[in-house]
Amino acid sequence: MVNLVLFWQFFKFGVLCFGGGHMIIPLLHAEFVEKTAFFTPEEFGNLLAISQMTPGAVSVNSATYVGYLKNGLSAAIFASVGVVFPTFILASVALNFFKKHKDSWYVKGFYRGAKWASLVMILYALFLFANISIFKQPIQEWFQNADFSKPLLNIGQFFVMLLSVLLYFYRVPMIAMLVLAALIGFGVSFI
Amino acid sequence: MFDENHKNENDVSILLLLFWSFFKISLFVIGGGLAMIPVIRNVFVHKYKLLTEDDIVDMIAVTQTIPGLIAVNSSIFVGNKLAGIKGAVVSTIAVLIPSLFILGIIAAFFPLQMLTNSHLLAAFSGIRACVAGIFLGMFIQFAQKTLKSLLDGGIVLFLIGLLLAGAHVVIIILISIILGMAILFRDQLKEGTYG
């Protein structure tokens, strides 16, 4: 029964994840901290750190973790399948629709607009990662209220980013880049 | 629901390749579904040459427009493209399994305090900076391909302005798609090819 309740809860979270899995975080906070107090705010902070630091999708990671704490392995499976399920149905229906109507003006127009959108989405992803590494303050906030008296950049991380761009264009394997970046980040923290 | 007559539907090797690729991607990529996008591109466009750059552009837009998880949306997009519904299911399961193992082990054995060590946090901050760098590289490459006219440049600048002004991602995508449809419609009217 616990498992089915978890499945249903995470199914709902999955439906509400507009714009990616990290959108699950405020939903989890509302349910497990504010409503049921299953986690203290500190524990919730740890949950976030874990699901973002470990490999894999943030939403699936947090679902698995909450599931384990609630009721072991079986609950973890129920919760993570629950969070994936709505995405699976929606994506399947949408992709099939695009395929069927691929010669219509609206699907062609969609793909035309998609080219601009995906460029802006890459920039959005760039900001998302830069805001929690190289910038001391989220760049969107800084643009709305620029304050030149305080430093905006973490120099070590900024260096890692520039180095990564260079290595990217020299087609260095990504796993090597990530290991190197972790080592530099680790080393810089001792200075 | 899916394209039933997909040419790779019954090809076991492509399903194994999808499973193994997505399993590895999910096992090694830190930073969630967004961070997987450049790796998916690397594996399926550059390494195996099963997808084109245009497919990746479509994937980015589609996976972020459909509500849901980007990691799962992307695995379904690629799986479905290469091997129909079986490919989509196999890829999605492959994305799930590493999370179950890793988080299970952490939940069972590791105290949470260990993860608040400041040097360890700095190492992860370095990883995120590296992912930002990868996206910057991708942005430069895609900008060269996508921005072919003044109109393209103007629209992208306008959308970036919306992003910096704090507009929600989904709103920006919808505006972009509506503009795409409007411009296509206008072009077809001009050429007289509509209908």
Side-chain angles (χ1 to χ4, degrees), chain B residues 67-102:
Chain B
L69 326 175
I70 291 171
V72 177
N73 279 341
S74 319
S75 65
I76 292 171
F77 186 93
V78 175
N80 184 37
K81 190 125 201 151
L82 296 181
I85 185 161
K86 285 180 195 161
V89 173
V90 163
S91 308
T92 306
I93 291 171
V95 165
L96 283 182
I97 291 175
S99 292
L100 281 171
F101 272 106
I102 294 171

Side-chain angles (χ1 to χ4, degrees), chain A residues 14-15 17-23 43 46-47 49-62 64-65 68-69 73 76-77 80-81 83-84 86-96 98-99 104-130 132-134 139-140 143-144 157-158 160-162 164-165 168-169 171 174-175 177-178 181-183 185-186 189-190, chain B residues 1-3 6 26-36 38-39 41-42 46 54 57-58 60-62 64-73 76-77 80 88-89 92 96 99-100 102-104 106-107 112 115-116 119-143 146-147 152 155-156 159-160 163-166 168-170 172-173 176-177 179-181 183-185 187-188 194:
Chain A
V15 175
C17 274
F18 281 90
H22 52 276
M23 298 297 174
E43 285 171 335
N46 289 332
L47 164 79
I50 286 183
S51 50
Q52 287 177 334
M53 281 155 83
T54 46
V58 174
S59 48
V60 179
N61 286 349
S62 50
T64 310
Y65 192 75
Y68 263 107
L69 294 186
L73 177 67
I77 293 173
S80 56
V81 172
V83 81
V84 164
T87 303
F88 193 85
I89 302 292
L90 279 170
S92 308
V93 171
L95 287 178
N96 186 53
F98 284 143
K99 210 181 249 175
S104 66
W105 66 270
Y106 43 89
V107 171
K108 275 189 185 160
F110 176 93
Y111 281 122
R112 184 133 182 192
K115 292 207 190 317
W116 304 315
S118 64
L119 196 59
V120 180
M121 284 312 109
I122 293 171
L123 200 66
Y124 167 75
L126 164 62
F127 287 163
L128 212 64
F129 284 94
I132 47 176
S133 57
I134 68 171
I139 189 76
Q140 289 95 324
F143 261 99
Q144 283 156 33
Q157 275 83 345
F158 187 65
V160 170
M161 187 185 82
L162 292 183
S164 302
V165 177
Y168 174 82
F169 281 112
R171 298 205 167 198
M174 280 179 191
I175 188 85
M177 286 167 65
L178 292 170
L183 288 176
F186 187 73
S189 70
F190 287 97
Chain B
M1 219 159 75
F2 279 84
D3 186 357
H6 207 285
S26 181
L27 186 61
F28 289 115
V29 177
I30 293 170
L34 272 173
M36 289 180 188
V39 188
R41 169 167 171 253
N42 226 13
H46 295 153
D54 279 345
V57 169
D58 292 346
I60 294 170
V62 171
Q64 306 216 22
T65 320
I66 305 166
L69 326 175
I70 291 171
V72 177
N73 279 341
I76 292 171
F77 186 93
N80 184 37
V89 173
T92 306
L96 283 182
S99 292
L100 281 171
I102 294 171
L103 271 296
I106 288 178
L112 290 173
L115 290 167
T116 50
H119 299 302
L120 193 65
L121 288 176
F124 279 99
S125 178
I127 288 179
R128 290 194 286 261
C130 177
V131 174
I134 291 171
F135 276 116
L136 184 56
M138 246 175 106
F139 182 79
I140 294 168
Q141 283 183 331
F142 277 46
T146 307
L147 305 179
D152 288 329
I155 288 174
V156 169
L159 295 173
I160 292 173
L163 183 68
L164 290 175
H168 195 284
V169 180
V170 176
I172 295 174
I173 295 175
S176 176
I177 285 164
L179 283 174
M181 288 178 182
I183 285 166
L184 189 99
F185 199 69
D187 287 354
Q188 288 192 340
Y194 181 69

